[in-house]
Amino acid sequence: MVRNVMDMNARYGGLNSAFLEAGKSAWVMNVVPIGARDTLPLILDQGFAGVLHDWCKPFPTYPRTYDMLHANGLLSYLISEGCSITNLLLEMDRILRPEGWVVLSDKLGPIENTRTIATQIRWEARVIDLENGSDQRLLVCQKPFVRK
């Protein structure tokens, strides 16, 4: 069950709109990365929750807040900004609930590097080829529920 979702590179709030159109009841935090085109006013005008954030830094929220994290193109953007993908994944691990999902869409190189890091932090991770001949890939991860 997915209740709290974060779109880490929200652009225009498309993931939020998709949940509404599908009749799914989920609260979505739309995050527009600082340095990207500021589309936050468009997101807020639609009545969606949203915030600007620098993903090179921690996100100000409680641990284990979100059931699902989603980002399209965020990895390539952060690499171009000189940010650490390892630090990003550790931050995602902090804010993601056990058995929560991460869905990342990006180019093959950043996706493969991120998959390697995801398996090192013990996430179940698989890469999905979106189209034949395309460089776009989808990385789907699940954080395990760890019992002591």
Side-chain angles (χ1 to χ4, degrees), residues 49-63:
V51 67
L52 289 171
H53 181 66
D54 179 359
W55 281 115
C56 294
K57 299 177 181 166
F59 189 80
T61 190
Y62 291 107

Side-chain angles (χ1 to χ4, degrees), residues 38-79:
D38 184 6
T39 56
L40 187 58
L42 300 171
I43 291 169
L44 298 175
D45 284 347
Q46 296 176 71
F48 300 154
V51 67
L52 289 171
H53 181 66
D54 179 359
W55 281 115
C56 294
K57 299 177 181 166
F59 189 80
T61 190
Y62 291 107
R64 299 178 302 280
T65 302
Y66 293 94
D67 300 307
M68 184 175 117
L69 304 175
H70 169 268
N72 183 7
L74 182 65
L75 300 172
S76 293
Y77 171 74
L78 291 177
I79 290 168

Side-chain angles (χ1 to χ4, degrees), residues 1 13 15 33 58 71 94 96-97 119 142:
M1 184 166 141
L15 181 67
R94 182 185 75 82
L96 189 65
R97 287 185 176 144
T119 56
Q142 187 174 28

Side-chain angles (χ1 to χ4, degrees), residues 1 17 21-22 29 53 60 65 71 75 87 90 93-94 99 101 108 123 130 135 141 145 147:
M1 184 166 141
S17 295
E21 288 177 16
M29 172 57 78
H53 181 66
T65 302
L75 300 172
N87 288 347
L90 290 173
D93 188 64
R94 182 185 75 82
E99 299 184 341
W101 294 90
L108 177 60
W123 288 358
L130 295 177
D135 192 29
C141 305
F145 183 82
R147 292 187 179 190

Side-chain angles (χ1 to χ4, degrees), residues 5-11 15 33 55 68-79 84-93 95-96 100-119 121 123-130 135-142:
V5 177
M6 178 186 287
D7 191 351
M8 300 172 68
N9 192 11
R11 292 194 176 104
L15 181 67
W55 281 115
M68 184 175 117
L69 304 175
H70 169 268
N72 183 7
L74 182 65
L75 300 172
S76 293
Y77 171 74
L78 291 177
I79 290 168
S84 167
I85 299 302
T86 301
N87 288 347
L88 175 70
L89 261 64
L90 290 173
E91 179 63 6
M92 291 168 70
D93 188 64
I95 65 177
L96 189 65
W101 294 90
V102 174
V103 180
L104 302 170
S105 175
D106 216 308
K107 296 177 184 169
L108 177 60
I111 287 291
E112 282 298 331
N113 292 339
T114 303
R115 184 192 61 77
T116 301
I117 299 165
T119 56
I121 58 175
W123 288 358
E124 295 174 23
R126 69 173 187 257
V127 176
I128 300 169
D129 189 357
L130 295 177
D135 192 29
Q136 286 295 114
R137 298 293 189 274
L138 194 65
L139 176 63
V140 179
C141 305
Q142 187 174 28

